Amino acid sequence: MKDKLAKIVEDALARIESSEQLDTLNDIRVFYLGKKGELTSVLKSMKDVLPEDRPKVGQMVNDARSIIEEKLEEKKTAFEKKLREEKIKSETIDVTLPGKLPQMGHRHPNTIALEDLERIFIGMGYAVVEGPEVEYDYYNFEALNIPANHPAKDEQDTFYISNDILLRTQTSSVQVHVMDKKELPIRMIAPGRVFRADEVDATHSPSFNQVEGLVIDKNITFADLKGTLAEFAKKMFGEDTQVRFRPHHFPFTEPSAEVDVSCFKCGGKGCRFCKGEGWIEILGCGMVHPHVLEMRGIDPDEYQGFAFGIGLERIALLKYEIDDMRLLYENDIRFLEQF
Ligand code: DAH
């Protein structure tokens, strides 16, 4: 019996030792220690053992079981350790590999142009204000000296919401709100969205952005307007930029002008960018019409002012040499990523 047990233990230890996977250990456990296992069958043959020898034999079987279990446990721990080490090895981070850069957002060209523009005017002491996009006809037209029969009021140009409420067609309406506050002097810019019933093409959109400017104070002259816009053009497009004022007509300013900047691509010689002109139109402006001041209760003999209206998209397109306005609205990531 003793020899038989010794043989079983010897076999078991050898099999455990030579096993190569965790699974095999389980099979070995079942084979020797299971219900129908080798050791169990020894216990079952106890009836053939002399009663006085039984405790001794029982002890021997238990010892054999302990030895096998201990070895199984030892081997199992070794396997687990090996697996863990392999796993750690395969998971090791190579800190010398280049990292994956997180995708960063980009500012929209309109936003960049607006921030540049705001910085320039804030630097000259202007406040940045906002006004409503949904507006009374009165603020968008009448109060700006645009009478009821003016062609700009045609329904094809203006989105009407009701008889007297519309989507503003110009940020000039904000001038009226600011003058109504009765806080003089005024020095403000008002950026914002405007709406016109235009078909979409490379230079038109039913919704675009303007930046309105308004200054009202004592002794304001056209020279102040010229100096201010010349300074703006240099800061926006480069120190060598020249400005040119062409007489124009706007109902709310008198005199009125359109302003061109010298082409910053060719320096004024004429190129494809400026269509051979040497000049590029960037805004409309003028001295605030005395009637507009009077309507707001401001005495034009005491206060004068100038105003200007800049198309924001136009500035962004020029600054980044983009030739189609639609690109600014389509929000194609591949386009926007470039800025
Ligand atoms: N509101 C004009 C437009 O939408 C632009 C403009 C021109 C604004 C002259 C002004 C100005 O303040 O003085 O076409």
Side-chain angles (χ1 to χ4, degrees):
M1 182 68 88
K2 196 176 170 190
D3 291 348
K4 194 175 173 197
L5 277 173
K7 179 85 178 77
I8 291 173
V9 170
E10 190 186 320
D11 281 358
L13 294 189
R15 280 184 64 183
I16 294 169
E17 190 54 51
S18 62
S19 66
E20 276 166 10
Q21 308 176 34
L22 211 47
D23 286 354
T24 340
L25 287 185
N26 213 25
D27 296 343
I28 295 172
R29 177 188 301 278
V30 172
F31 185 81
Y32 290 99
L33 311 178
K35 254 189 199 151
K36 293 178 182 162
E38 296 276 283
L39 273 188
T40 322
S41 69
V42 172
L43 276 181
K44 276 181 189 152
S45 63
M46 230 20 168
K47 56 182 185 317
D48 305 331
V49 176
L50 289 175
E52 62 267 33
D53 289 340
R54 280 183 195 163
K56 222 170 128 199
V57 175
Q59 183 63 45
M60 272 161 36
V61 174
N62 279 344
D63 287 350
R65 170 179 282 272
S66 297
I67 293 170
I68 296 172
E69 271 176 350
E70 208 171 285
K71 186 74 185 172
L72 278 168
E73 200 51 41
E74 192 181 287
K75 191 76 180 176
K76 188 174 159 221
T77 313
F79 272 142
E80 283 170 350
K81 185 164 174 244
K82 200 168 140 218
L83 278 177
R84 204 166 39 243
E85 276 167 2
E86 275 168 10
K87 191 160 174 241
I88 288 171
K89 211 166 155 195
S90 72
E91 281 177 358
T92 307
I93 296 166
D94 181 352
V95 291
T96 64
L97 284 174
K100 278 190 201 146
L101 283 180
Q103 281 259 13
M104 295 289 280
H106 292 252
R107 285 185 307 158
H108 192 279
N110 272 354
T111 310
I112 303 174
L114 179 58
E115 287 177 0
D116 285 352
L117 199 145
E118 286 182 347
R119 204 176 305 118
I120 295 168
F121 280 104
I122 288 169
M124 294 197 263
Y126 285 61
V128 180
V129 305
E130 278 183 15
E133 292 176 0
V134 178
E135 188 56 280
Y136 286 108
D137 183 294
Y138 177 78
Y139 287 86
N140 196 81
F141 294 123
E142 303 280 331
L144 290 164
N145 217 16
I146 303 173
N149 57 357
H150 197 280
K153 291 190 67 177
D154 273 5
E155 285 199 35
Q156 57 179 30
D157 296 325
T158 307
F159 290 114
Y160 275 94
I161 288 171
S162 69
N163 249 350
D164 59 344
I165 297 177
L166 44 74
L167 297 181
R168 68 178 174 196
T169 61
Q170 50 186 357
T171 46
S172 303
S173 54
V174 187
Q175 289 189 29
V176 184
H177 290 287
V178 172
M179 284 189 263
D180 271 349
K181 287 202 166 149
K182 310 260 183 254
E183 289 165 11
L184 296 172
I186 293 167
R187 197 178 290 150
M188 69 88 176
I189 54 168
R193 201 178 270 281
V194 300
F195 305 86
R196 290 182 198 179
D198 276 331
E199 294 286 337
V200 175
D201 66 24
T203 53
H204 292 87
S205 161
S207 163
F208 56 101
N209 293 273
Q210 289 186 331
V211 182
E212 195 73 15
L214 178 69
V215 170
I216 295 180
D217 204 345
K218 292 177 176 163
N219 303 317
I220 296 287
T221 69
F222 202 95
D224 297 312
L225 172 59
K226 275 188 92 169
T228 301
L229 294 180
E231 185 62 15
F232 160 69
K234 284 188 200 305
K235 291 251 165 66
M236 195 77 195
F237 298 109
E239 280 302 313
D240 297 332
T241 310
Q242 303 289 310
V243 284
R244 174 173 88 170
F245 286 69
R246 278 181 290 103
H248 200 78
H249 172 261
F250 296 105
F252 37 89
T253 43
E254 179 59 33
S256 305
E258 277 187 336
V259 175
D260 302 336
V261 289
S262 53
C263 179
F264 39 86
K265 195 111 206 206
C266 64
K269 285 195 285 291
C271 66
R272 235 172 50 119
F273 196 62
C274 57
K275 300 194 181 72
E277 296 276 325
W279 297 93
I280 299 168
E281 183 198 323
I282 58 159
L283 59 87
C285 65
M287 300 305 290
V288 180
H289 198 295
H291 189 222
V292 170
L293 294 174
E294 276 164 1
M295 279 190 276
R296 303 271 65 77
I298 299 171
D299 179 359
D301 290 329
E302 195 184 356
Y303 283 96
Q304 303 77 40
F306 63 76
F308 53 89
I310 306 171
L312 184 65
E313 280 79 358
R314 191 156 173 75
I315 302 289
L317 295 179
L318 288 173
K319 211 171 154 60
Y320 294 108
E321 298 179 23
I322 303 164
D323 58 8
D324 193 327
M325 193 172 176
R326 285 168 287 199
L327 288 166
L328 294 178
Y329 304 119
E330 282 163 357
N331 288 335
D332 186 327
I333 293 285
R334 291 166 301 176
F335 169 75
L336 295 176
E337 263 174 358
Q338 303 172 75
F339 302 96

